[in-house]
Amino acid sequence: MAKGFYISKALAVITVILTASAIGGIVTMIIVYQAQIAELNPTPRPTFSPTTVFPTGPQPTMRLPGDLVPESYRLYLKPFLYTRIIDVVNVTSPNQTMVFTGNSTVNVHCVRKTKTIFLHSKELNVSHVEVKNRNTDELITVNSRTHYEDGSDFFEIQLDGVLEEGGNYSVFVNFTGEMMDDLAGLYVSRYKEGVQANGDNTERFLATSQMQPTDARKVFPCFDEPALKAVFDVTIIHRLDTIALGNWPPDKSESSIIDDNWMQTRFHPTKKMSTYLLAFAVSELRSVTSPHERVMIKTYARPEAIEAGQAEYAASITGRILKFYEDRFGIDFPQKKLDQIAVPDFSAGAMENWGLVTYREAALLFDEKVSSSLNKEWITIIIAHELAHQWFGNLVTMRWWNELWLNEAFATYISVFGADHVEPDWNLKDMFAMNNLHSAFETDALASSHPLSCLENDVQTPGEITEMFDDITYSKGATVLRMLADLVTENVFQAGLKAYLQAFQYGNTEQEDLWDHLQKAVNEGHETVKVAEVMNTWTKQIGYPVITINTTNGAVYQRHFLFNQTSQSGLLWHIPIRVMSEISEPTLVMLKPTDVTEMKTELISKAGEWILANINCTGYYRVNYNPENWERLLTQLEMNPSVIPVNNRGQLVDDAFNLARAELVDVTLALNVTRFLRNETAYIPWESAIRNLDYFILIFDRSEVYGPMERYLREQVAGLYNFFKDYTDNSTVPDDHSQQQNQINCIMVACFTGVPECQAMATRMFDNWMKNETTNSIHPNLRSTIFCQAVAAGGEREWEFAWKKFQSSTIASERDQLRQALSCTKKIWLLNRYLGYTLNPEKIQKMDAVSTINQIAKNVAGQALAWNFVREHWTYISEEYGGGLLPLGILIEGVTRRFSTDFELKQLKRFQMDHEEVLGSATRAVEQAIERTQANIQWIRQNKDSVLAWFQREADLIE
């Protein structure tokens, strides 16, 4: 928008503030006058009817005033959508319509007298408003109503009469809205059914919803804040031959056919819940059921997917996970039904709507012939995550979005236990650190990070709320919970959680409520940990520490870990350190929040043995050692790595590389850590190495460093490739789940670095598929990597084949494999055309546009193209893809990951300046990208020569 608009808005805000200040001054003078005149004992003035000054206009903040508390909603919705358009000869086909109409009556209790009602409403046309006193059944005249398009989404109703404190009222609103394809609020999703025959139209439509975080207001005017919980009594009027789903089960006695075209479904009233958890869908989807002793569980998907058995795996584990949580938390799931629905167009991975969980198809549907073991693992973890939310988030909800981690961190942490319960052979608990600790570390090493519990005033606008859905909230939050559980013991932790859930069910909480109940459990367990004192250092401040241990004398100290160590920080933490040595079992050492070096005898190497801290990566911190101890650990890794726990082998790699990025150790130490990999076959160490070497590849693949680095990596991965070679050549996989993932890793690295056998294998297998399109003999686990390599090695012919297969596939996991492979081509013109496709939802669905652009940006041939594309189309991208939970911050992070030059930094700063007013949920991501780029520039200047020399020396030794 034009800057003039924002100047006018600023002036308007200033005017409101000055007006409010003037009113405040008048009120103050009246109070002072009354106090002074009372001392004179004057003759009483004549009595007049009292007059109260009621403020008008929008709130000075983005929050509702709190005068009214909603108790229940009676909501009617009528989406006019046709789920299919049938062409009949000599009959005019109906035009599709995206309109919906509705009305709602919200019953409220007044806690502070007012003449103004504020609700939220967005993109709705409100045609009629009535306000009634429920105590007297009298209507209260509405003087005016105003909708504010200033980011607050306030809908103001000015009344002629006063709503009295303690009174009970109702607000009736009649409205009309439009279902868009923006994946937010009540929106439309599309899919194809079957093969077109005889001119039949195979396109199908469904209406579904995504309210989180602030889009319930797009569906009906409401009090759209998480603490304003209420009961929802919903009726949906929908076309015959469709089914309507809601949070609670249908009330069959209140549901009926209206006429030849319409029927109504009324749902049983919900329990008290937040507006963002409200959900419904109208569709022709079909379902399969899951076994559970008390709850009717159904999994819905496209009819074609149900017939193909793609929902069977999800159905087989959902009831078991739900029962596991009921037993673990000691509270039954509070209703008799649970629906899961695979939505063809969906912005996030899934959404935990109470009783009606929505998923993108790839997160719920599994096809044995096409989907990989990674797809199955993702489905398991996502289902476990969303079901954990039924307690953490739905039953007990954070009071405001600044403490979103109370929802998301718990669901992330608990999901590992739920998934492990149904798939114990996968050892998912061992992968927790890899999947959460490392990703949180990356973001939290920036000064522009944010605390888990932000100040409430810092999280107000929809954009600021959306920014909270990041690695800090999910992964850091889950990791510090795991650290706390390890500190107080899992049994004590579970007892505290049970008490917390029991005390606050159907209510809202802040983190202090959690600490209080965990502290009670700690006290009952005769432990001495002061929970709030310890945990506030992890939740109320940004970042994390690095501890430095001198094993010669046991000295240990902490400091704030930052990639840019020039940033000043005095932050300190309570740090639980689990430590072991070559000759001793793990023990616990506590480090106090002090900048003074402490002496710990447990950290002394008494006989030249190595010391290892943060056993099994239970702590959220990095560890540095004196050079002698580093040397002992590296020797152990090369001689017999199995002595060191597998998680710590991965963590030693990750710590060394990131300590080098922060200039706390020499970069050659980090590179030396990779030497042991030539004989390593475990997944976690290799995954850690690949993630960290990926940073080197991103910043050096456009420089002379890349040649010798590629030769070194090719030699390191050769042993692992040969370890899996028999499996790979025969398109089979090992039985062990983690080894299956490592096989994928080794093929990716081997082909990427030019191992001839790998490249020949990938090209041959893909070519065989091209020659016989109906038979793809590539194992599902290997397809994504082989597709990518074949497209990269090929040209237009391979790309067009993959594009054709992508367009014709109806299996979400296969489409994801092919969509990613299309970004691997080295042909600039193909990448440029592919970028253009992301602007066309008929080619690339909106939900996949951001990840597609990021995949292109990861390709060295596409990085500059993607960045230029985002800059050129930012206005369109932010408008079309900036609503709901579409990840604009992730887009900025993806297209700037390689930035490491002064020129790129200038471009990035210019982008920030040009779009400052419309960055929205990408604001923090741009700040972080600038900080990351500055750190990269400084690091390269200081380390490039050393890195080049190291790789040249190692490459020469190989030759």
Side-chain angles (χ1 to χ4, degrees):
M1 292 183 182
K3 291 194 174 184
F5 172 83
Y6 289 96
I7 293 172
S8 298
K9 182 174 70 175
L11 288 174
V13 172
I14 291 170
T15 302
V16 170
I17 294 171
L18 291 176
T19 302
S21 299
I23 292 171
I26 292 169
V27 172
T28 302
M29 287 189 291
I30 291 171
I31 294 170
V32 172
Y33 170 79
Q34 289 175 338
Q36 292 176 340
I37 201 71
E39 296 176 359
L40 301 177
N41 193 26
T43 302
R45 293 167 50 183
T47 302
F48 299 97
S49 298
T51 300
T52 303
V53 177
F54 293 97
T56 60
Q59 286 289 104
T61 68
M62 302 292 283
R63 302 288 294 279
L64 293 172
D67 303 327
L68 303 172
V69 177
E71 296 176 338
S72 65
Y73 293 84
R74 183 76 178 92
L75 175 62
Y76 290 84
L77 285 176
K78 183 178 182 179
F80 285 79
L81 181 81
Y82 290 95
T83 54
R84 62 174 67 193
I85 302 296
I86 301 175
D87 297 322
V88 181
V89 178
N90 297 326
V91 175
T92 302
S93 297
N95 293 322
Q96 183 59 283
T97 175
M98 303 300 175
V99 172
F100 67 90
T101 60
N103 66 72
S104 69
T105 301
V106 55
N107 293 322
V108 299
H109 179 72
C110 183
V111 296
R112 185 171 55 243
K113 66 165 52 180
T114 181
K115 292 183 67 174
T116 306
I117 298 173
F118 280 98
L119 299 93
H120 289 107
S121 179
K122 183 178 181 181
E123 298 172 11
L124 295 173
N125 179 23
V126 175
S127 59
H128 183 64
V129 175
E130 282 186 4
V131 179
K132 181 184 290 187
N133 185 326
R134 286 190 289 142
N135 295 334
T136 64
D137 207 32
E138 294 177 349
L139 289 176
I140 300 173
T141 302
V142 174
N143 286 338
S144 65
R145 57 179 190 260
T146 306
H147 179 252
Y148 294 95
E149 297 182 0
D150 58 357
S152 69
D153 299 326
F154 285 148
F155 180 64
E156 179 186 12
I157 304 169
Q158 284 286 343
L159 303 175
D160 185 55
V162 177
L163 306 185
E164 297 290 349
E165 181 178 338
N168 298 301
Y169 303 90
S170 66
V171 183
F172 171 87
V173 182
N174 204 72
F175 55 88
T176 303
E178 183 178 1
M179 291 178 289
M180 310 294 285
D181 61 353
D182 57 357
L183 315 183
L186 182 61
Y187 70 93
V188 64
S189 178
R190 308 162 189 250
Y191 61 94
K192 299 284 187 180
E193 184 178 277
V195 179
Q196 187 168 344
N198 302 321
D200 289 344
N201 190 339
T202 63
E203 189 170 33
R204 300 290 179 261
F205 303 84
L206 63 91
T208 188
S209 64
Q210 170 62 32
M211 309 299 194
Q212 192 185 50
T214 58
D215 284 316
R217 63 193 67 174
K218 287 187 65 177
V219 183
F220 65 110
C222 57
F223 296 87
D224 200 10
E225 293 186 359
L228 298 177
K229 290 189 170 185
V231 172
F232 293 86
D233 185 343
V234 179
T235 297
I236 296 180
I237 300 170
H238 53 104
R239 297 190 183 277
L240 287 178
D241 301 323
T242 63
I243 58 170
L245 302 176
N247 297 90
W248 252 245
D251 183 344
K252 294 182 180 179
S253 66
E254 295 286 335
S255 303
S256 60
I257 295 174
I258 298 173
D259 56 31
D260 291 343
N261 297 309
W262 298 98
M263 68 178 295
Q264 72 170 16
T265 300
R266 182 175 182 177
F267 301 95
H268 286 285
T270 70
K271 299 285 189 179
K272 281 185 64 177
M273 69 181 201
S274 304
T275 49
Y276 78 85
L277 293 170
L278 193 64
F280 19 76
V282 176
S283 71
E284 294 184 5
L285 301 183
R286 297 180 186 173
S287 66
V288 294
T289 60
S290 301
H292 189 279
E293 60 189 24
R294 187 178 50 80
V295 181
M296 172 59 73
I297 302 173
K298 292 184 178 181
T299 301
Y300 288 83
R302 293 175 289 107
E304 186 177 351
I306 293 295
E307 292 169 8
Q310 294 174 25
E312 295 296 336
Y313 177 70
S316 71
I317 64 173
T318 300
R320 293 159 60 198
I321 295 174
L322 192 71
K323 182 65 169 62
F324 172 77
Y325 288 155
E326 289 180 320
D327 295 339
R328 189 176 182 88
F329 304 141
I331 299 175
D332 284 345
F333 181 68
Q335 57 169 300
K336 297 179 180 180
K337 76 93 179 175
L338 170 65
D339 293 328
Q340 302 185 117
I341 176 172
V343 182
D345 300 278
F346 195 76
S347 58
M351 177 60 207
E352 65 267 19
N353 314 299
W354 214 352
L356 178 57
V357 186
T358 45
Y359 300 78
R360 67 168 51 203
E361 289 192 332
L364 191 64
L365 304 182
F366 180 80
D367 190 302
E368 292 282 355
K369 298 177 181 177
V370 173
S371 306
S372 70
S373 62
L374 287 178
N375 295 136
K376 180 180 277 191
E377 179 186 317
W378 190 45
I379 289 168
T380 307
I381 291 174
I382 290 289
I383 291 175
H385 181 103
E386 303 311 319
L387 295 187
H389 268 310
Q390 307 302 304
W391 285 264
F392 292 96
N394 299 8
L395 185 68
V396 178
T397 313
M398 82 275 146
R399 191 179 70 83
W400 182 246
W401 299 104
N402 63 310
E403 291 188 325
L404 176 63
W405 75 274
L406 291 173
N407 285 16
E408 297 299 347
F410 267 109
T412 302
Y413 173 68
I414 295 296
S415 66
V416 176
F417 295 91
D420 183 72
H421 175 71
V422 294
E423 296 289 359
D425 295 337
W426 290 357
N427 297 318
L428 292 175
K429 292 179 182 178
D430 288 340
M431 297 183 192
F432 181 94
M434 186 61 57
N435 294 332
N436 291 285
L437 181 66
H438 295 178
S439 58
F441 270 166
E442 176 80 12
T443 302
D444 216 15
L446 300 173
S448 51
S449 182
H450 67 84
L452 280 172
S453 289
C454 295
L455 295 175
E456 198 167 329
N457 288 337
D458 291 342
V459 184
Q460 293 289 312
T461 68
E464 290 166 347
I465 292 169
T466 300
E467 283 183 321
M468 294 298 292
F469 290 82
D470 64 0
D471 284 338
I472 300 300
T473 294
Y474 286 75
S475 296
K476 177 181 180 177
T479 302
V480 298
L481 288 174
R482 177 171 175 256
M483 180 173 65
L484 177 58
D486 180 69
L487 176 62
V488 302
T489 74
E490 187 65 41
N491 288 338
V492 170
F493 188 69
Q494 280 302 117
L497 292 189
K498 282 185 177 181
Y500 168 76
L501 290 173
Q502 196 71 241
F504 295 103
Q505 54 186 322
Y506 306 111
N508 296 82
T509 63
E510 299 173 317
Q511 71 166 16
E512 285 73 20
D513 300 314
L514 174 65
W515 301 154
D516 288 346
H517 283 78
L518 288 174
Q519 187 65 59
K520 290 176 183 177
V522 168
N523 295 343
E524 290 171 2
H526 306 291
E527 300 288 337
T528 59
V529 176
K530 295 181 179 179
V531 176
E533 182 180 316
V534 171
M535 294 307 295
N536 283 342
T537 64
W538 298 97
T539 62
K540 289 189 173 182
Q541 55 191 26
I542 68 168
Y544 56 92
V546 52
I547 62 171
T548 300
I549 299 172
N550 186 336
T551 61
T552 61
N553 60 8
V556 57
Y557 66 89
Q558 62 170 289
R559 65 183 290 187
H560 185 186
F561 181 86
L562 291 165
F563 286 141
N564 185 355
Q565 289 293 332
T566 60
S567 301
Q568 297 298 315
S569 172
L571 301 181
L572 297 165
W573 292 261
H574 285 277
I575 308 175
I577 306 172
R578 291 215 176 269
V579 60
M580 65 178 284
S581 77
E582 194 172 357
I583 58 176
S584 66
E585 293 299 311
T587 187
L588 177 66
V589 175
M590 286 298 299
L591 201 60
K592 297 176 182 178
T594 174
D595 56 4
V596 177
T597 298
E598 297 188 50
M599 309 301 292
K600 302 289 185 180
T601 58
E602 298 92 338
L603 304 178
I604 298 175
S605 175
K606 300 176 179 63
E609 74 277 12
W610 49 257
I611 301 290
L612 182 66
N614 199 10
I615 303 305
N616 289 321
C617 307
T618 54
Y620 186 66
Y621 52 87
R622 295 198 182 279
V623 186
N624 193 8
Y625 303 96
N626 55 306
E628 296 83 359
N629 197 63
W630 270 116
E631 188 61 36
R632 295 180 190 120
L633 288 168
L634 266 60
T635 299
Q636 183 67 67
L637 286 174
E638 293 202 50
M639 297 294 294
N640 182 13
S642 62
V643 174
I644 294 176
V646 66
N647 267 324
N648 287 99
R649 303 207 297 271
Q651 194 58 41
L652 284 169
V653 174
D654 192 65
D655 278 347
F657 270 90
N658 284 280
L659 290 169
R661 281 181 69 178
E663 305 285 346
L664 296 179
V665 300
D666 192 277
V667 67
T668 57
L669 170 65
L671 295 171
N672 287 341
V673 173
T674 65
R675 285 177 173 151
F676 85 97
L677 293 171
R678 67 172 63 94
N679 298 315
E680 177 67 84
T681 59
Y683 166 70
I684 288 176
W686 264 104
E687 177 66 16
S688 179
I690 290 169
R691 292 188 186 197
N692 283 283
L693 287 167
D694 187 51
Y695 171 75
F696 276 61
I697 292 169
L698 286 171
I699 63 173
F700 288 131
D701 63 3
R702 298 173 290 175
S703 75
E704 68 272 27
V705 175
Y706 186 71
M709 177 166 61
E710 184 182 52
R711 292 199 299 275
Y712 172 75
L713 294 177
R714 187 162 57 235
E715 180 64 23
Q716 290 300 94
V717 80
L720 189 65
Y721 185 78
N722 289 330
F723 180 79
F724 290 110
K725 193 173 188 303
D726 287 343
Y727 291 111
T728 303
D729 288 347
N730 292 293
S731 198
T732 58
V733 299
D735 293 331
D736 182 78
H737 183 72
S738 65
Q739 288 294 71
Q740 290 179 22
Q741 297 191 46
N742 214 24
Q743 181 189 20
I744 297 169
N745 273 345
C746 89
I747 295 173
M748 178 184 68
V749 176
C751 284
F752 183 76
T753 57
V755 173
E757 297 93 334
C758 183
Q759 292 183 329
M761 174 274 301
T763 301
R764 182 184 70 255
M765 289 188 177
F766 192 80
D767 192 56
N768 289 340
W769 185 31
M770 292 177 66
K771 291 175 181 176
N772 185 5
E773 295 187 27
T774 59
T775 303
N776 186 349
S777 61
I778 305 171
H779 192 280
N781 276 19
L782 312 182
R783 289 183 183 182
S784 184
T785 302
I786 290 175
F787 290 174
C788 177
Q789 175 57 37
V791 170
E796 182 180 5
R797 174 172 169 265
E798 286 76 11
W799 198 94
E800 292 291 355
F801 176 79
W803 175 250
K804 181 179 70 172
K805 288 297 183 182
F806 169 78
Q807 288 182 302
S808 63
S809 177
T810 60
I811 302 173
S813 57
E814 182 177 48
R815 286 174 60 83
D816 283 349
Q817 293 166 354
L818 291 162
R819 183 170 56 83
Q820 180 182 355
L822 290 164
S823 69
C824 298
T825 181
K826 302 302 180 186
K827 304 295 182 183
I828 301 296
W829 69 273
L830 285 172
L831 291 172
N832 219 23
R833 186 177 72 178
Y834 194 28
L835 281 167
Y837 287 176
T838 64
L839 301 179
N840 183 354
E842 296 294 325
K843 294 182 180 294
I844 299 295
Q845 291 173 274
K846 278 192 174 184
M847 67 177 186
D848 293 326
V850 167
S851 60
T852 301
I853 296 170
N854 279 350
Q855 287 162 1
I856 295 171
K858 191 171 183 180
N859 182 342
V860 66
Q863 191 275 324
L865 295 175
W867 168 236
N868 290 335
F869 178 83
V870 168
R871 287 192 297 164
E872 180 183 356
H873 297 284
W874 180 256
T875 300
Y876 175 86
I877 290 171
S878 61
E879 290 176 355
E880 289 294 314
Y881 305 137
L885 287 176
L886 285 168
L888 291 185
I890 294 175
L891 174 62
I892 293 298
E893 180 186 356
V895 298
T896 62
R897 288 182 68 202
R898 269 193 179 82
F899 281 16
S900 54
T901 67
D902 289 321
F903 178 70
E904 289 166 332
L905 179 60
K906 289 177 182 177
Q907 285 188 324
L908 188 51
K909 288 183 174 179
R910 183 55 187 260
F911 175 80
Q912 182 188 43
M913 184 174 64
D914 289 347
H915 301 285
E916 185 175 6
E917 301 289 353
V918 293
L919 286 174
S921 61
T923 300
R924 182 184 289 131
V926 173
E927 294 171 355
Q928 291 176 340
I930 290 173
E931 184 183 351
R932 190 181 293 111
T933 302
Q934 291 170 331
N936 288 346
I937 292 170
Q938 178 182 335
W939 191 86
I940 289 173
R941 285 174 181 164
Q942 296 178 357
N943 292 280
K944 180 180 177 181
D945 291 343
S946 297
V947 173
L948 177 60
W950 192 93
F951 278 120
Q952 283 179 330
R953 183 173 63 254
E954 294 295 318
D956 290 343
L957 290 174
I958 294 169
E959 295 174 353

